[in-house]
C-alpha cells in the first residue's frame, strides 16, 4: 500500500494505490473537506467549491474514485435561507423568521423535507462533474425524502454521469433522531460498488461502530467510512475514530480502508 498526501487549502488529498495480484491498480482520492457558512451561501458557490476540489484531485493524482465525506450534500437545503443568518442572533431566531415566511415549516424536519426535492435535483451536478472529469465520485451524503421520511443517504455517480449507487445510514446519532427526526435505512447488507475489479463497500459514520459489518464485508477490497465531525481532532477524537473503521478492519480480511471526514 502506498499513501501520498498533500495539504491544500480546505482539503487534504490522500491517494491509495491498490493492486491485488494481476488486477488493475485502483487510485482513490479522499477529500478531507473543511466547510463554512459561505460554502453554502449559494448553489453556485457550493458547486464551484466542489468542482475546485475535484479539479485539484484530478490534477494532483488522476484518481479513479474521489470521495467526499458525510453531510457534504446536506447543507444546500438551507441555502435559500442564507440571508437570514447574518441578521439573526441564534438558530431559534433564524427558524422563527423562516416560519414567518412559510407557515408550513414548523420544525427542522419540515424545512429539510420541504427542500429535499430541490436538493435532489441540484445533486445532478455531481453527475456532471463525474462525466466532465471521467471519474467516479462519492458525493458524500444528503437527506433523501420518501414516504414522509428522511434518510441520511450516501450517493455515488459514475463516469457516465449516472447515479450508480445509494446507501442509507442505519445507526443514527441522537441528533439525527431527536432533532432532525431522520429514519434508519434498511439493515440488509449493502452491495457497494465494483470499480477496476475491486469490491468497494461503505459505512456512514456511526454505522462503523457496529461489529455486524465485520461479517458482512468480509472479502471486500476497500472499505470507505464517510463521517461529519464538529470536534477538534484531539486525542479523544483520535481514540474514538480508532474504534470505528480501524477497529472493524482488524477483525476482517479487508486490507484497505479510508475514513473521510467533513469538518
Amino acid at each position: 500500500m502506498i499513501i501520498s498526501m498533500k495539504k491544500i487549502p480546505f482539503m487534504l488529498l490522500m491517494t491509495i494505490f491498490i493492486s491485488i495480484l494481476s488486477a488493475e491498480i485502483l487510485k482513490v482520492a479522499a477529500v478531507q473537506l473543511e466547510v463554512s457558512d459561505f460554502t453554502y451561501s449559494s448553489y453556485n458557490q457550493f458547486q464551484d467549491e466542489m468542482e475546485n476540489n475535484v479539479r485539484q484531485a484530478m490534477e494532483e493524482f488522476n484518481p479513479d474514485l474521489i470521495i467526499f465525506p458525510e453531510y457534504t450534500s446536506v447543507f444546500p437545503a438551507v441555502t435559500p435561507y442564507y440571508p437570514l443568518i447574518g441578521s439573526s442572533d441564534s438558530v431559534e431566531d433564524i427558524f422563527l423568521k423562516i416560519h414567518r415566511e412559510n407557515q408550513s415549516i414548523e420544525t427542522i424536519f419540515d424545512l429539510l423535507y420541504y427542500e429535499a426535492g430541490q436538493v435532489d435535483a441540484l445533486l445532478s451536478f455531481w453527475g456532471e462533474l463525474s462525466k466532465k472529469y471521467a471519474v467516479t465520485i462519492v458525493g458524500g451524503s444528503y437527506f433523501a425524502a420518501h414516504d414522509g421520511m428522511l434518510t441520511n443517504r450516501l450517493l455515488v455517480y459514475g463516469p457516465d454521469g449516472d447515479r450508480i449507487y445509494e446507501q442509507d445510514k442505519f445507526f443514527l446519532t441522537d441528533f439525527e433522531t431527536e432533532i432532525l427526526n431522520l429514519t434508519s435505512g434498511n439493515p440488509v447488507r449493502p452491495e457497494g460498488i465494483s470499480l477496476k475489479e475491486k469490491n468497494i463497500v461503505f459505512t456512514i459514520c456511526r454505522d462503523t461502530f457496529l461489529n455486524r459489518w465485520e461479517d458482512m464485508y468480509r472479502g471486500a477490497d476497500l472499505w470507505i467510512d464517510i463521517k461529519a465531525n464538529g470536534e477538534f481532532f484531539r486525542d479523544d477524537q483520535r481514540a474514538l475514530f480508532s474504534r470505528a473503521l480501524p477497529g472493524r478492519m482488524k477483525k476482517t480480511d479487508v486490507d484497505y480502508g479510508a475514513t473521510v471526514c467533513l469538518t
Side-chain angles (χ1 to χ4, degrees):
M1 177 178 180
I2 303 172
I3 299 179
S4 172
M5 299 183 183
K6 182 170 183 178
K7 191 72 173 80
I8 303 173
F10 308 115
M11 176 172 60
L12 174 66
L13 287 179
M14 177 178 69
T15 54
I16 303 173
F17 300 86
I18 302 174
S19 179
I20 300 175
L21 299 178
S22 60
E24 292 185 271
I25 292 175
L26 174 68
K27 296 170 64 178
V28 180
V31 181
Q32 197 89 335
L33 189 66
E34 180 180 349
V35 298
S36 68
D37 292 344
F38 186 65
T39 301
Y40 300 96
S41 60
S42 72
Y43 296 140
N44 287 339
Q45 178 64 31
F46 171 63
Q47 292 172 333
D48 287 347
E49 286 193 24
M50 297 308 107
E51 180 166 9
N52 285 340
N53 291 324
V54 171
R55 184 186 303 113
Q56 290 181 27
M58 297 304 296
E59 291 173 353
E60 293 288 336
F61 304 113
N62 191 31
D64 305 296
L65 174 66
I66 300 176
I67 312 161
F68 285 81
E70 183 189 29
Y71 275 43
T72 296
S73 298
V74 164
F75 299 121
V78 299
T79 294
Y81 311 97
Y82 182 79
L84 299 178
I85 296 175
S87 61
S88 303
D89 298 325
S90 65
V91 173
E92 290 78 8
D93 186 34
I94 295 171
F95 207 76
L96 180 60
K97 292 177 179 178
I98 293 173
H99 179 63
R100 287 171 181 165
E101 293 184 3
N102 188 335
Q103 296 295 313
S104 66
I105 298 177
E106 297 183 349
T107 65
I108 295 178
F109 174 86
D110 292 338
L111 184 150
L112 295 171
Y113 199 89
Y114 179 80
E115 295 293 341
Q118 175 67 25
V119 172
D120 192 66
L122 170 72
L123 296 182
S124 63
F125 93 94
W126 287 118
E128 295 169 5
L129 291 181
S130 293
K131 190 171 184 178
K132 179 178 178 178
Y133 293 95
V135 65
T136 298
I137 297 177
V138 178
S141 71
Y142 73 109
F143 292 159
H146 49 95
D147 303 321
M149 300 179 294
L150 287 172
T151 52
N152 186 1
R153 179 170 294 176
L154 171 148
L155 70 165
V156 184
Y157 284 85
D160 58 0
D162 292 335
R163 192 180 299 191
I164 61 173
Y165 184 71
E166 295 182 335
Q167 180 176 324
D168 287 339
K169 187 174 183 178
F170 173 69
F171 189 29
L172 301 175
T173 64
D174 293 341
F175 173 76
E176 288 173 321
T177 56
E178 297 173 6
I179 305 300
L180 302 182
N181 198 26
L182 299 188
T183 300
S184 293
N186 192 322
V188 174
R189 181 192 189 280
E191 295 180 2
I193 65 172
S194 179
L195 188 60
K196 285 203 166 181
E197 302 180 23
K198 310 297 188 298
N199 177 216
I200 304 170
V201 295
F202 303 92
T203 43
I204 306 171
C205 197
R206 198 175 184 186
D207 283 347
T208 319
F209 289 96
L210 299 179
N211 59 17
R212 55 176 293 166
W213 306 100
E214 294 167 11
D215 290 327
M216 294 171 67
Y217 282 170
R218 291 188 188 279
D221 297 312
L222 172 62
W223 186 341
I224 295 169
D225 176 27
I226 62 171
K227 294 184 181 296
N229 190 38
E231 304 291 336
F232 287 106
F233 196 66
R234 299 189 174 112
D235 289 344
D236 60 333
Q237 291 298 301
R238 182 181 298 277
L240 180 65
F241 276 38
S242 295
R243 295 198 300 272
L245 186 61
R248 300 281 75 75
M249 289 182 61
K250 288 178 182 178
K251 301 176 182 179
T252 72
D253 57 356
V254 182
D255 291 325
Y256 300 94
T259 297
V260 187
C261 191
L262 176 141
T263 64

